[in-house]
Amino acid sequence: MAMKPENWRDIIADRLRERNKNETSRYADIIHYNNRLFDTAVKLRQENLDLKIDKKIRDSASAVGPGGSASGFNADVAAITNAQIQALEKKVLAQQEELTELHKRKGEHSQMVINLNQKLSELQRLLTEKERALAEQTAMCVMLKDELEEMKASHVTIKDESLASQLRANTAEDKLRLVQDENTKLLNLLMEYKSRDAEIMNKENDKFLKEKKARIESELERAIRDIPGPSTLGPDLDRFDIDGLPEGVEFKFDAHDGEVNAVRWSPIERIVATGGADRKVKLWDVGKGVCEQRGVLVGSNQGINSVEFDTTGSMILAASNDSASRMWSVVDHRLRVSVALLLFELNNLKPFTGAGLIYSVYRRGFKPIVLGSSAFRPIRIRS
């Protein structure tokens, strides 16, 4: 069991007693000598008083009158007494001088005592201030202890809250993991549905292509039947088989970086315009028996869906996936007109007959939109 600490007042009192003892031990001999001199002075005063009384008695006895042997005896006694009185007077003078010196030392000692009392008062004042400061420090210490206890309690509360927050975070992570797993499952299911839709669309596209191919073949067969004779075909007759269909590939070249979405022949020259997913419209010259690039028309922000020449072959119009149509001149390949149709997506362009530059723009699922312009005037949209 820990011992109870001593009271600070007792410790300070013991230290003061010890310091007083050490300070007074230096003057112990002087104090003792002073006390002895005081005792001696008191004794001498008493002897002096006795001698004075004895002298008065003798003086009164000598005043009675001279007579016979008694007067002789008295004379002798008076001589002896006078000698003793002179010796005593000398001794009294010495004692008085010594007493004066003692009084002087007493004054010095009194001044020292006064100084020591002043120092003691100053020390007592300092002690009072120290006690006051110690009391303030003690109160502050108690307050700090209380605050420390409160902080410990707050720390425990915060620790509990942190554990609860960690548990909530773990629960939220588990829920997030479950949601992510469910999202992954939904994404996989969506991908399956998308793949099924793609397969269905591919089948529809294949069916549409087959039907279109069959229709083109039938049209070609009808066109061949309407030809009066082989002499009108000239050297192009060698490209067809006995049924009148093309039997080989005339040109094969890489037109675009990606898919090719549109191809159109120029109405007046042997120029082919192609549009692809690389956002470019390219012009190809096929009149010399080889395919040579004649120009690149740029300006679209998305892939090209459809291209079309005007009736004069000097302008070309293209529709792209950014819901806009653009018009270039074939000669200098400059962009002349750009129209953004933000309400729908341009999928197909068809020329109208007549003067000027007239086109119709089609979108699947909507009624046709007419896009018209004359020369470089602004494009107008009409339903």
Side-chain angles (χ1 to χ4, degrees):
M1 183 175 179
M3 296 181 63
K4 185 177 180 180
E6 297 182 0
N7 190 3
W8 58 271
R9 291 185 177 85
D10 297 337
I11 294 173
I12 294 174
D14 294 337
R15 290 182 181 178
L16 289 174
R17 292 191 192 97
E18 185 68 22
R19 188 185 64 182
N20 190 20
K21 182 178 179 181
N22 294 330
E23 293 292 334
T24 55
S25 62
R26 301 174 186 176
Y27 309 102
D29 296 336
I30 296 173
I31 294 171
H32 177 68
Y33 185 64
N34 190 13
N35 294 331
R36 190 178 66 181
L37 286 177
F38 272 115
D39 295 338
T40 305
V42 171
K43 187 183 295 184
L44 288 174
R45 285 194 193 94
Q46 186 64 34
E47 290 179 357
N48 189 12
L49 181 61
D50 293 338
L51 288 174
K52 285 180 179 180
I53 294 171
D54 190 12
K55 182 180 178 181
K56 286 182 180 182
I57 293 172
R58 291 180 183 277
D59 290 339
S60 62
S62 60
V64 174
S69 61
S71 61
F73 176 77
N74 289 332
D76 294 334
V77 171
I80 294 170
T81 303
N82 290 330
Q84 290 179 352
I85 288 171
Q86 289 178 359
L88 288 173
E89 287 179 352
K90 291 179 179 180
K91 190 174 180 180
V92 167
L93 289 175
Q95 292 294 330
Q96 286 179 351
E97 291 177 356
E98 187 176 1
L99 181 63
T100 304
E101 184 67 22
L102 289 176
H103 280 295
K104 182 179 179 180
R105 290 184 179 181
K106 180 181 178 182
E108 293 176 355
H109 292 164
S110 298
Q111 186 64 35
M112 291 177 64
V113 170
I114 291 171
N115 294 333
L116 290 175
N117 288 329
Q118 291 178 354
K119 289 182 179 180
L120 181 61
S121 300
E122 183 68 20
L123 291 175
Q124 287 179 350
R125 186 181 63 79
L126 293 175
L127 179 62
T128 304
E129 293 179 356
K130 294 292 184 181
E131 287 179 352
R132 188 183 302 108
L134 182 61
E136 293 177 356
Q137 294 292 333
T138 304
M140 186 179 294
C141 182
V142 172
M143 183 177 65
L144 291 175
K145 286 182 179 180
D146 295 337
E147 291 181 356
L148 181 61
E149 293 296 330
E150 292 178 357
M151 291 180 67
K152 286 182 179 179
S154 301
H155 176 69
V156 173
T157 304
I158 292 172
K159 188 175 181 181
D160 295 338
E161 291 179 355
S162 176
L163 292 175
S165 299
Q166 187 67 29
L167 292 175
R168 288 195 297 269
N170 294 331
T171 305
E173 288 179 357
D174 295 336
K175 290 181 179 180
L176 178 62
R177 195 177 298 109
L178 292 175
V179 171
Q180 288 177 349
D181 295 338
E182 186 177 357
N183 189 18
T184 304
K185 292 179 181 179
L186 292 175
L187 286 175
N188 293 330
L189 186 60
L190 180 61
M191 292 301 294
E192 291 179 0
Y193 288 154
K194 290 289 186 182
S195 62
R196 292 177 185 175
D197 292 340
E199 290 177 358
I200 294 171
M201 290 184 66
N202 290 331
K203 290 179 181 180
E204 291 179 355
N205 289 333
D206 292 339
K207 183 179 178 181
F208 175 74
L209 292 175
K210 289 179 181 180
E211 293 177 353
K212 186 176 180 181
K213 184 177 179 182
R215 187 171 61 253
I216 292 172
E217 289 177 355
S218 62
E219 290 178 358
L220 288 174
E221 288 177 357
R222 288 196 302 270
I224 292 171
R225 294 193 197 99
D226 295 336
I227 296 174
S231 60
T232 58
L233 294 176
D236 293 335
L237 183 61
D238 296 334
R239 300 180 186 175
F240 301 95
D241 57 6
I242 56 175
D243 293 331
L245 296 177
E247 63 179 7
V249 177
E250 182 73 18
F251 299 106
K252 182 178 180 181
F253 56 92
D254 294 332
H256 296 273
D257 297 333
E259 299 177 354
V260 179
N261 299 328
V263 178
R264 284 292 181 273
W265 283 95
S266 174
I268 60 172
E269 297 180 286
R270 293 183 62 82
I271 295 176
V272 178
T274 60
D278 57 356
R279 302 176 295 177
K280 297 177 182 178
V281 177
K282 295 184 179 181
L283 301 177
W284 306 90
D285 189 355
V286 295
K288 299 178 182 180
V290 292
C291 184
E292 295 180 357
Q293 183 173 317
R294 187 166 176 179
V296 179
L297 310 180
V298 296
S300 297
N301 297 322
Q302 296 292 335
I304 304 299
N305 287 332
S306 180
V307 295
E308 187 63 59
F309 286 94
D310 67 335
T311 56
T312 63
S314 62
M315 303 294 292
I316 185 170
L317 180 66
S320 59
N321 286 331
D322 58 352
S323 301
S325 62
R326 293 171 179 83
M327 189 181 302
W328 295 268
S329 59
V330 178
V331 177
D332 55 3
H333 308 155
R334 291 180 60 186
L335 179 63
R336 299 296 182 178
V337 180
S338 177
V339 177
L341 305 175
L342 300 178
L343 297 178
F344 50 86
E345 177 183 356
L346 299 178
N347 292 327
N348 196 7
L349 296 175
K350 293 295 181 181
F352 275 79
T353 59
L357 203 56
I358 306 276
Y359 291 91
S360 65
V361 181
Y362 290 91
R363 187 191 191 284
R364 243 174 292 168
F366 292 86
K367 64 181 181 179
I369 302 297
V370 177
L371 177 64
S373 174
S374 296
F376 301 110
R377 294 180 182 178
I379 290 178
R380 298 173 180 87
I381 300 176
R382 299 182 182 92
S383 60

